[in-house]
Amino acid sequence: MGLSEKNEEKRSFVNKIKKNSFLLLTLIPGFLYILAFFLIIVFFILQMSLTTYVGGMVETSPTLQNFVDLTSSEEFKDAFSRTFVFVIISTPLQLITGLVTAIIVNKSFKGRGIVRSIFLLPLAIPTIVTTATLLLLFSKGGHVTSLLMGDYSWFPAIVDYEISFLNNETLAIGLSILGKVWRDTPISMLILLAGLQSIDESQYEAAKTMGANSVRQFMYITIPLLIPAISSVLVLRSIEAWKEFIFPYILAPSYPILGVLIEKYFVQLNNPGMAAAIGVILIFLIVIFTVFLNWLLKKVNELLVRV
Amino acid sequence: MMKKWSIEKIFWLFLMVFSIVIVLFPIYIMFKYSISDRTSWITGGKYPIPWWPFDPNFEMYSYYLSDGRFWSSAWFSLKIAFLTIIISMGLGAPAAYALARFKFWGIGLVLFLILSVRMFPDVSSVLPVAQFFNLDIIYNIPITLKVAMGHTLLGLPYIILIAIGVFQTIPIDLEEQAQVMGATKFYAFTRIILPVALPGLAAGAIYVFLLSWNEFVFSYFITATSTADVIPLPVYLKTLLGAFSPNPVSIATLSLLVSLPVIIFTFIVQKYMIAGATAGAVK
């Protein structure tokens, strides 16, 4: 009895495959492409990170030497703390700018479509162009330094010396954060906008009849109902912030974050082993941080629900 | 009550104007620099750089538009972008069709695997990919194809996601009717489903074009670690930034030239998306 059932199952499975053979055939090439690259990435990055190179040539393999070297490397520790600061500052900033722009676009007024298109504009501009603009604005003799020195008659002098934004660690990283936030705010805005639009208007009406002002409405209706959207902004944007490369690469090359350090080892120092080791650590850091952030958000959510 | 409301209104109006200025300001700065004459950016410290050039001109545009290096980079970027579209649409659209139509137990896992390749940071995943492309057996494939394959890796998961959505909006009756009339599945897919899905797929293709055109990390790492005579436009722009004393006018002009197709295409995507949303297939 059991055997024939099994046969029956087997036959129906084979039939299903036969029936859907066209669909399977269409799926396989794309799937294989991604799978192949997935395996290439995992295999080669592990192999490279477990190999030491001298002048681009393989020296010893397999070895944990790269990771051992990194644990005692001041450069790596600095890069790690810079990356951490970058994530911790740029993620909440993107949440705030995203929320402000989403609330603006969510209001009904004349020309809303145009304002929304303008707010989406940063996404349409290549990242390298955004960095170039910041570089022009903040480099020596650029508009911002002249402005702060009071060279323009309509603006008061704030400092009496020329600030070198790119040669100061705090300012250079701050500048990269500024660029990152400017460029990626539209993404946060779109996620939060979808959240805002799903809030039932009648809740506000009810609150209004009970005499709640707009600040209280925002605190007790908008924010709690936006928690899912806010959580996804924080998780997605912090992952992107860990991955960041181009803004600090152009604007803070002397103060590398982890991504920039990878480029330095791989392209400039011709040391793929060290670069891959940092790459592996970066992947693990993202995973650990994301798991932690999810746990934290869950706790915060539970706390809010109880109150 | 009335007064309070208007204060709030002014507050939001102020925030809106402020945000618009912040968004548009860098674009204005780029444009201003790109049309600057010499005295408007080499000031010798005697006067600050003006907010509008003394003698606006388009000299740098005509310089770049008649420059062979610019055109070879642009042509290289364009070839990469089109190759990326071809590979990722060729692989992605059929796969998305299967994922939209085929209901089987492992579908979640397949989707997860497809997306998981994007969870690696670009700057981590580019190392093994660049290393792989430098293996002896495939070292000799054209650099254009190598970069396009890298970009396909980035674009394919998005194409599949976009196209699944597109195919799901097409009623299954359409192809069943065709099969009742004797069409093969292949015929039904290529002659009936694809044309209906075209506007949506076009939006996906343009998305991939933008991704490839703007992409820096893969373009840079792959061309930097192999022998490439030409470099894609964003990498070319980066070489200008790295110069000892960068020329702001040429940076700004090149920046705008790189951005221009992107801004135009973004506009077209919007049109296609509206078309895709409103086009009804089954009457």
Side-chain angles (χ1 to χ4, degrees):
Chain A
M1 193 70 184
L3 204 73
S4 71
E5 239 171 48
K6 232 177 200 171
N7 273 340
E8 192 75 13
E9 231 170 62
K10 220 177 197 174
R11 204 174 307 138
S12 79
F13 182 71
V14 171
N15 275 342
K16 203 171 179 189
I17 298 261
K18 264 189 190 155
K19 212 178 133 203
N20 290 302
S21 59
F22 176 70
L23 288 178
L24 272 177
L25 280 177
T26 52
L27 175 62
I28 283 168
F31 182 69
L32 277 187
Y33 188 91
I34 289 177
L35 188 67
F37 268 100
F38 188 93
L39 295 176
I40 287 171
I41 290 172
V42 172
F43 174 76
F44 276 92
I45 203 166
L46 285 178
Q47 192 208 37
M48 286 156 76
S49 68
L50 297 176
T51 307
T52 52
Y53 293 79
V54 170
M57 289 295 162
V58 176
E59 198 188 40
T60 35
S61 177
T63 165
L64 284 170
Q65 193 57 44
N66 291 321
F67 293 98
V68 174
D69 288 351
L70 281 177
T71 54
S72 59
S73 158
E74 283 302 315
E75 190 186 30
F76 175 75
K77 276 175 205 154
D78 288 346
F80 169 74
S81 40
R82 279 185 210 113
T83 315
F84 190 70
V85 167
F86 188 91
V87 175
I88 288 297
I89 296 180
S90 74
T91 312
L93 265 182
Q94 282 181 51
L95 179 66
I96 294 168
T97 54
L99 196 57
V100 168
T101 46
I103 291 174
I104 292 172
V105 172
N106 196 37
K107 291 183 183 299
S108 50
F109 57 90
K110 242 184 171 179
R112 182 166 87 164
I114 299 167
V115 172
R116 191 177 49 202
S117 302
I118 292 174
F119 284 170
L120 288 177
L121 214 54
L123 278 186
I125 292 169
T127 328
I128 187 84
V129 170
T130 310
T131 59
T133 316
L134 283 170
L135 201 65
L136 290 187
L137 271 174
F138 286 88
S139 61
K140 263 181 181 289
H143 280 296
V144 175
T145 45
S146 302
L147 194 70
L148 292 176
M149 285 166 72
D151 287 347
Y152 298 102
S153 51
W154 50 272
F155 198 84
I158 290 174
V159 288
D160 53 1
Y161 55 93
E162 180 148 10
I163 302 176
S164 171
F165 281 93
L166 306 176
N167 295 322
N168 175 306
E169 180 166 351
T170 315
L171 292 176
I173 295 293
L175 209 53
S176 326
I177 293 174
L178 178 71
K180 180 76 178 161
V181 172
W182 186 84
R183 150 108 195 160
D184 284 356
T185 291
I187 305 173
S188 315
M189 180 186 95
L190 288 176
I191 300 173
L192 292 165
L193 191 59
L196 280 176
Q197 281 170 346
S198 68
I199 296 177
D200 195 351
E201 199 60 37
S202 63
Q203 302 209 25
Y204 291 109
E205 310 257 312
K208 240 182 250 170
T209 54
M210 287 185 227
N213 63 18
S214 47
V215 176
R216 289 180 78 91
Q217 283 176 36
F218 180 75
M219 292 306 290
Y220 291 103
I221 300 175
T222 313
I223 291 290
L225 288 175
L226 265 189
I227 290 287
I230 289 174
S231 305
S232 64
V233 166
L234 287 177
V235 171
L236 293 173
R237 294 292 90 210
S238 64
I239 292 176
E240 286 303 312
W242 279 105
K243 292 171 164 186
E244 185 51 33
F245 170 70
I246 190 149
F247 283 106
Y249 174 60
I250 303 289
L251 298 168
S254 330
Y255 313 101
I257 63 163
L258 289 173
V260 180
L261 205 58
I262 292 175
E263 190 272 347
K264 185 183 166 189
Y265 274 105
F266 193 71
V267 178
Q268 292 171 40
L269 300 178
N270 201 5
N271 187 346
M274 208 63 151
I278 302 170
V280 170
I281 292 174
L282 184 57
I283 292 170
F284 276 107
L285 282 175
I286 293 175
V287 172
I288 293 166
F289 182 84
T290 309
V291 169
F292 172 73
L293 187 60
N294 271 319
W295 174 83
L296 195 70
L297 287 169
K298 214 173 139 195
K299 285 277 164 222
V300 168
N301 205 6
E302 276 168 14
L303 214 71
L304 281 177
V305 169
R306 207 174 297 146
V307 168
Chain B
M1 198 66 200
M2 198 59 212
K3 203 182 165 195
K4 210 174 170 192
W5 170 232
S6 69
I7 286 174
E8 197 187 312
K9 230 176 181 173
I10 289 167
F11 171 72
W12 283 109
L13 192 69
F14 168 76
L15 265 184
M16 186 176 85
V17 173
F18 181 73
S19 312
I20 292 175
V21 169
I22 296 270
V23 170
L24 292 181
F25 182 68
I27 300 164
Y28 148 75
I29 286 291
M30 272 294 149
F31 182 67
K32 189 218 79 168
Y33 266 113
S34 76
I35 57 170
S36 284
D37 56 313
R38 233 181 133 67
T39 52
S40 303
W41 66 273
I42 300 179
T43 62
K46 289 190 204 81
Y47 50 91
I49 292 172
W51 293 96
W52 191 251
F54 300 120
D55 179 23
N57 62 68
F58 287 93
E59 265 167 38
M60 198 48 91
Y61 286 93
S62 57
Y63 166 76
Y64 269 118
L65 291 178
S66 58
D67 178 36
R69 274 217 312 163
F70 167 76
W71 281 112
S72 60
S73 273
W75 177 231
F76 187 46
S77 273
L78 210 59
K79 276 193 294 188
I80 293 170
F82 278 112
L83 210 53
T84 308
I85 292 179
I86 291 169
I87 305 173
S88 51
M89 290 308 278
L91 296 172
Y97 176 70
L99 289 170
R101 285 288 184 264
F102 193 10
K103 302 280 167 267
F104 63 101
W105 53 271
I107 200 146
L109 187 72
V110 172
L111 260 180
F112 175 76
L113 261 174
I114 286 173
L115 289 176
S116 65
V117 80
R118 293 295 295 119
M119 287 175 192
F120 297 118
D122 286 355
V123 74
S124 289
S125 60
V126 74
L127 307 177
V129 171
Q131 190 83 350
F132 169 72
F133 283 147
N134 276 333
L135 288 183
D136 288 338
I137 35 164
I138 51 166
Y139 185 77
N140 284 326
I141 65 170
I143 186 82
T144 320
L145 186 60
K146 285 181 185 172
V147 180
M149 283 171 78
H151 289 176
T152 301
L153 184 65
L154 304 177
L156 191 52
Y158 289 114
I159 278 287
I160 292 178
L161 270 194
I162 294 172
I164 287 178
V166 173
F167 287 125
Q168 275 172 346
T169 61
I170 300 172
I172 203 156
D173 307 355
L174 208 62
E175 55 201 279
E176 277 172 357
Q177 279 171 21
Q179 279 164 30
V180 166
M181 287 184 223
T184 61
K185 286 192 172 173
F186 179 73
Y187 188 91
F189 176 64
T190 52
R191 298 295 173 86
I192 291 158
I193 301 301
L194 273 186
V196 177
L198 209 58
L201 293 182
I206 292 171
Y207 178 85
V208 167
F209 177 87
L210 297 181
L211 185 140
S212 168
W213 183 263
N214 294 346
E215 211 281 331
F216 179 80
V217 175
F218 273 75
S219 304
Y220 170 63
F221 275 73
I222 293 175
T223 51
T225 54
S226 62
T227 48
D229 312 325
V230 278
I231 44 180
L233 271 183
V235 187
Y236 181 44
L237 180 56
K238 186 239 145 195
T239 60
L240 292 186
L241 299 179
F244 179 64
S245 57
N247 176 341
V249 183
S250 67
I251 290 175
T253 309
L254 191 60
S255 294
L256 283 177
L257 287 174
V258 175
S259 310
L260 203 64
V262 184
I263 291 167
I264 293 171
F265 268 124
T266 309
F267 177 70
I268 297 176
V269 174
Q270 283 181 351
K271 264 177 85 182
Y272 265 115
M273 278 170 174
I274 294 163
T278 51
V282 177
K283 284 178 188 134

